[in-house]
Amino acid sequence: MDPVELAVGATTDVGRVREINQDALLAAPPVLAVADGMGGHHGGEVASRIAVEELERVEAGGADSRAAAAAVQEALAAAQARIADYAAEQGSKDPVWYAGTTVVVAVLATDDAGPVWVVANLGDSRAYLLTEEGLRRVSVDHSVVQELLDAGRITPAQAAVHPERHVVTRALGGPGVPEPDFFRLPAAPDMRLLLCSDGISGMIDDAAIARVLAEVRNPQDAADRLVAEALEAGGLDNATAVVADVLP
């Protein structure tokens, strides 16, 4: 099978409110990732960097989807162990100290039917896929608000302003080894993949994300524009976007 070529754009910004950018990104095809760190005293910044460092070790060139998923699982487990060790060291000095991170990762792999994206997520950093039919959110948030939505206890409009909308239920840095959700997507030239932190999806709605991805052809320009619109909408959080196109 012929090798698949990607065009990738990636941008991150501290936003208009935060003092530190605790987001980290990876744009090293065939592996792409966004990690959104959580915790004070630079704890989140360290946790997100660890996640990206471990995912950067994934050797997935030409791998099938099962091998790619196994490699991602191994990398996330290694990141969890490193974050736990770091948190234990810092926690000995400050009992309430915490470091954690959400993560969404996509690996380009190959199956019998052709190239595929293997996507995994923990927390509320998201993966979207733009096709000729429109924008589809691939990942499902691991969050209190998502659980309330799934249970029918709140509406999407209520979710957008819910006081616990940033509380995640699965992330690296918590107790045990969190189980990521995996998704397998076709990777075709008429499809565009977006990975982003909630500094994007929490500031601009899916319609605005779809518009930018559809209108801005260059993936770097599209990533830049998504971050710029998140800042224009208030920039209340760190904002990170990674956009990837499979080239014909």
Side-chain angles (χ1 to χ4, degrees):
M1 187 175 294
D2 293 335
V4 177
E5 187 176 356
L6 295 176
V8 178
T11 304
T12 187
D13 193 280
V14 69
R16 300 188 183 279
V17 175
R18 307 294 178 116
E19 295 182 357
I20 298 171
N21 190 348
Q22 295 193 338
D23 284 2
L25 64 83
L26 176 62
V31 185
L32 314 172
V34 169
D36 181 355
M38 304 170 289
H41 306 294
H42 300 268
E45 181 184 20
V46 173
S48 62
R49 185 175 71 243
I50 288 172
V52 164
E53 287 174 353
E54 291 300 330
L55 289 167
E56 197 169 13
R57 303 178 197 273
V58 171
E59 296 180 4
D64 64 30
S65 59
R66 287 177 297 179
V72 168
Q73 184 90 47
E74 183 178 349
L76 293 177
Q80 172 73 4
R82 285 182 58 191
I83 294 169
D85 288 344
Y86 177 68
E89 177 186 344
Q90 298 298 318
S92 65
K93 309 169 189 175
D94 182 354
V96 298
W97 194 91
Y98 172 74
T101 186
T102 71
V103 63
V104 59
V105 53
V107 179
L108 186 66
T110 55
D111 276 354
D112 292 341
V116 295
W117 287 110
V118 175
V119 176
N121 79 293
L122 285 166
D124 59 359
S125 291
R126 292 181 178 176
Y128 290 88
L129 189 68
L130 182 74
T131 70
E132 293 179 348
E133 297 177 352
L135 185 71
R136 174 165 70 94
R137 189 196 307 178
V138 174
S139 58
V140 178
D141 293 350
H142 301 139
S143 68
V144 168
V145 162
Q146 186 64 53
E147 291 180 354
L148 293 173
L149 281 168
D150 292 344
R153 295 173 58 186
I154 61 173
T155 66
Q158 291 171 325
V161 295
H162 196 280
E164 294 185 328
R165 62 187 178 277
H166 299 301
V167 179
V168 298
T169 55
R170 253 187 272 179
L172 294 175
V177 178
E179 189 68 27
D181 288 337
F182 279 91
F183 309 88
R184 181 181 174 276
L185 314 170
D190 59 349
M191 298 178 179
R192 168 170 274 187
L193 183 72
L194 167 67
L195 307 181
C196 66
S197 65
D198 69 339
I200 300 289
S201 59
M203 296 305 304
I204 57 176
D205 62 20
D206 286 4
I209 291 173
R211 173 181 49 77
V212 172
L213 292 178
E215 293 178 357
V216 184
R217 296 183 60 86
N218 181 278
Q220 183 60 59
D221 292 343
D224 290 344
R225 187 62 208 163
L226 287 168
V227 170
E229 292 206 4
L231 297 183
E232 290 168 6
L236 301 180
D237 201 352
N238 309 146
T240 301
V242 176
V243 178
D245 296 335
V246 178
L247 298 181

Tab-separated table of all heavy atoms in Angstrom, residues 126 137 141 145-146 148-162 165 201-202 205-206:
chain	number	residue	atom	x	y	z
A	126	ARG	N	-11.215	17.119	22.587
A	126	ARG	CA	-12.091	16.497	21.601
A	126	ARG	C	-11.422	16.199	20.267
A	126	ARG	O	-10.433	16.845	19.891
A	126	ARG	CB	-13.305	17.386	21.346
A	126	ARG	CG	-14.249	17.497	22.513
A	126	ARG	CD	-15.436	18.384	22.170
A	126	ARG	NE	-16.381	18.461	23.285
A	126	ARG	CZ	-17.454	19.228	23.278
A	126	ARG	NH1	-17.735	19.959	22.212
A	126	ARG	NH2	-18.259	19.252	24.330
A	137	ARG	N	-18.656	15.196	15.737
A	137	ARG	CA	-17.803	15.026	16.895
A	137	ARG	C	-17.544	13.534	17.083
A	137	ARG	O	-18.470	12.740	17.201
A	137	ARG	CB	-18.435	15.599	18.155
A	137	ARG	CG	-17.459	15.638	19.335
A	137	ARG	CD	-18.146	15.834	20.670
A	137	ARG	NE	-19.024	17.000	20.686
A	137	ARG	CZ	-19.746	17.323	21.759
A	137	ARG	NH1	-19.701	16.588	22.861
A	137	ARG	NH2	-20.528	18.384	21.715
A	141	ASP	N	-17.066	13.299	25.577
A	141	ASP	CA	-16.436	13.869	26.766
A	141	ASP	C	-16.589	12.942	27.971
A	141	ASP	O	-17.669	12.383	28.196
A	141	ASP	CB	-17.063	15.220	27.117
A	141	ASP	CG	-16.778	16.298	26.096
A	141	ASP	OD1	-15.935	16.066	25.206
A	141	ASP	OD2	-17.402	17.366	26.183
A	145	VAL	N	-20.856	16.995	33.032
A	145	VAL	CA	-21.906	17.533	32.174
A	145	VAL	C	-22.341	16.513	31.131
A	145	VAL	O	-23.540	16.374	30.835
A	145	VAL	CB	-21.424	18.846	31.524
A	145	VAL	CG1	-22.280	19.194	30.321
A	145	VAL	CG2	-21.489	19.987	32.536
A	146	GLN	N	-21.384	15.773	30.545
A	146	GLN	CA	-21.750	14.764	29.556
A	146	GLN	C	-22.615	13.668	30.183
A	146	GLN	O	-23.576	13.188	29.563
A	146	GLN	CB	-20.494	14.148	28.943
A	146	GLN	CG	-20.774	13.192	27.787
A	146	GLN	CD	-21.404	13.892	26.605
A	146	GLN	OE1	-20.886	14.887	26.120
A	146	GLN	NE2	-22.536	13.384	26.130
A	148	LEU	N	-24.646	14.072	32.694
A	148	LEU	CA	-25.971	14.665	32.894
A	148	LEU	C	-26.749	14.729	31.578
A	148	LEU	O	-27.959	14.476	31.538
A	148	LEU	CB	-25.836	16.060	33.501
A	148	LEU	CG	-25.294	16.124	34.934
A	148	LEU	CD1	-25.040	17.572	35.337
A	148	LEU	CD2	-26.253	15.453	35.910
A	149	LEU	N	-26.041	15.059	30.486
A	149	LEU	CA	-26.672	15.073	29.171
A	149	LEU	C	-27.154	13.680	28.783
A	149	LEU	O	-28.278	13.501	28.309
A	149	LEU	CB	-25.691	15.599	28.123
A	149	LEU	CG	-25.495	17.106	28.036
A	149	LEU	CD1	-24.290	17.430	27.162
A	149	LEU	CD2	-26.749	17.776	27.460
A	150	ASP	N	-26.289	12.694	28.973
A	150	ASP	CA	-26.643	11.319	28.607
A	150	ASP	C	-27.844	10.822	29.401
A	150	ASP	O	-28.640	10.016	28.892
A	150	ASP	CB	-25.443	10.394	28.837
A	150	ASP	CG	-24.289	10.668	27.886
A	150	ASP	OD1	-24.521	11.347	26.862
A	150	ASP	OD2	-23.164	10.212	28.152
A	151	ALA	N	-27.951	11.285	30.650
A	151	ALA	CA	-29.068	10.867	31.494
A	151	ALA	C	-30.337	11.673	31.230
A	151	ALA	O	-31.389	11.386	31.812
A	151	ALA	CB	-28.684	10.996	32.969
A	152	GLY	N	-30.252	12.677	30.351
A	152	GLY	CA	-31.411	13.497	30.043
A	152	GLY	C	-31.782	14.479	31.133
A	152	GLY	O	-32.905	14.996	31.137
A	153	ARG	N	-30.840	14.759	32.025
A	153	ARG	CA	-31.151	15.640	33.153
A	153	ARG	C	-30.933	17.112	32.829
A	153	ARG	O	-31.438	17.990	33.538
A	153	ARG	CB	-30.328	15.225	34.372
A	153	ARG	CG	-30.694	13.835	34.890
A	153	ARG	CD	-29.754	13.371	35.992
A	153	ARG	NE	-29.726	14.274	37.130
A	153	ARG	CZ	-28.903	14.150	38.172
A	153	ARG	NH1	-28.032	13.130	38.191
A	153	ARG	NH2	-28.947	15.007	39.160
A	154	ILE	N	-30.166	17.401	31.791
A	154	ILE	CA	-29.980	18.774	31.348
A	154	ILE	C	-30.020	18.797	29.825
A	154	ILE	O	-29.847	17.766	29.166
A	154	ILE	CB	-28.646	19.387	31.845
A	154	ILE	CG1	-27.436	18.607	31.303
A	154	ILE	CG2	-28.600	19.465	33.358
A	154	ILE	CD1	-26.103	19.265	31.614
A	155	THR	N	-30.222	19.992	29.275
A	155	THR	CA	-30.246	20.187	27.829
A	155	THR	C	-28.863	20.664	27.365
A	155	THR	O	-28.052	21.137	28.188
A	155	THR	CB	-31.288	21.234	27.445
A	155	THR	OG1	-30.872	22.514	27.984
A	155	THR	CG2	-32.661	20.877	27.999
A	156	PRO	N	-28.575	20.583	26.058
A	156	PRO	CA	-27.310	21.135	25.565
A	156	PRO	C	-27.121	22.606	25.915
A	156	PRO	O	-26.007	23.042	26.209
A	156	PRO	CB	-27.412	20.920	24.050
A	156	PRO	CG	-28.273	19.710	23.906
A	156	PRO	CD	-29.286	19.827	25.003
A	157	ALA	N	-28.208	23.379	25.887
A	157	ALA	CA	-28.104	24.794	26.253
A	157	ALA	C	-27.703	24.949	27.714
A	157	ALA	O	-26.899	25.823	28.066
A	157	ALA	CB	-29.427	25.504	25.984
A	158	GLN	N	-28.272	24.127	28.580
A	158	GLN	CA	-27.894	24.170	29.998
A	158	GLN	C	-26.461	23.693	30.202
A	158	GLN	O	-25.750	24.205	31.062
A	158	GLN	CB	-28.866	23.319	30.811
A	158	GLN	CG	-30.271	23.882	30.907
A	158	GLN	CD	-31.246	22.908	31.535
A	158	GLN	OE1	-31.147	21.688	31.335
A	158	GLN	NE2	-32.207	23.423	32.297
A	159	ALA	N	-26.037	22.725	29.408
A	159	ALA	CA	-24.674	22.205	29.528
A	159	ALA	C	-23.642	23.290	29.252
A	159	ALA	O	-22.577	23.330	29.876
A	159	ALA	CB	-24.483	21.033	28.577
A	160	ALA	N	-23.959	24.184	28.310
A	160	ALA	CA	-23.000	25.212	27.915
A	160	ALA	C	-22.683	26.188	29.037
A	160	ALA	O	-21.613	26.811	29.035
A	160	ALA	CB	-23.532	25.975	26.700
A	161	VAL	N	-23.592	26.308	30.022
A	161	VAL	CA	-23.369	27.265	31.106
A	161	VAL	C	-23.369	26.572	32.470
A	161	VAL	O	-23.395	27.242	33.502
A	161	VAL	CB	-24.443	28.378	31.080
A	161	VAL	CG1	-24.314	29.212	29.824
A	161	VAL	CG2	-25.858	27.783	31.181
A	162	HIS	N	-23.315	25.260	32.476
A	162	HIS	CA	-23.381	24.520	33.736
A	162	HIS	C	-22.152	24.835	34.595
A	162	HIS	O	-21.026	24.888	34.089
A	162	HIS	CB	-23.448	23.017	33.463
A	162	HIS	CG	-23.888	22.209	34.650
A	162	HIS	ND1	-23.034	21.871	35.669
A	162	HIS	CD2	-25.102	21.683	34.968
A	162	HIS	CE1	-23.693	21.157	36.571
A	162	HIS	NE2	-24.950	21.034	36.174
A	165	ARG	N	-19.189	22.375	34.214
A	165	ARG	CA	-18.913	21.949	32.842
A	165	ARG	C	-17.444	21.625	32.595
A	165	ARG	O	-17.106	20.996	31.604
A	165	ARG	CB	-19.388	23.007	31.850
A	165	ARG	CG	-18.708	24.360	31.957
A	165	ARG	CD	-19.398	25.367	31.038
A	165	ARG	NE	-18.836	26.710	31.124
A	165	ARG	CZ	-19.158	27.595	32.040
A	165	ARG	NH1	-20.029	27.280	32.986
A	165	ARG	NH2	-18.597	28.794	32.056
A	201	SER	N	-13.439	24.294	22.085
A	201	SER	CA	-14.829	23.834	22.041
A	201	SER	C	-15.698	24.481	23.113
A	201	SER	O	-16.923	24.543	22.962
A	201	SER	CB	-14.881	22.311	22.194
A	201	SER	OG	-14.294	21.896	23.414
A	202	GLY	N	-15.083	24.984	24.181
A	202	GLY	CA	-15.851	25.657	25.218
A	202	GLY	C	-16.093	27.126	24.933
A	202	GLY	O	-16.917	27.763	25.606
A	205	ASP	N	-18.915	27.392	19.314
A	205	ASP	CA	-19.768	26.213	19.171
A	205	ASP	C	-19.370	25.393	17.945
A	205	ASP	O	-18.528	25.798	17.132
A	205	ASP	CB	-21.239	26.601	19.160
A	205	ASP	CG	-21.609	27.521	17.988
A	205	ASP	OD1	-20.866	27.569	16.987
A	205	ASP	OD2	-22.653	28.190	18.088
A	206	ASP	N	-20.018	24.232	17.813
A	206	ASP	CA	-19.675	23.324	16.721
A	206	ASP	C	-19.942	23.950	15.356
A	206	ASP	O	-19.229	23.649	14.385
A	206	ASP	CB	-20.452	22.016	16.856
A	206	ASP	CG	-19.922	21.133	17.980
A	206	ASP	OD1	-19.008	21.584	18.701
A	206	ASP	OD2	-20.424	20.004	18.141
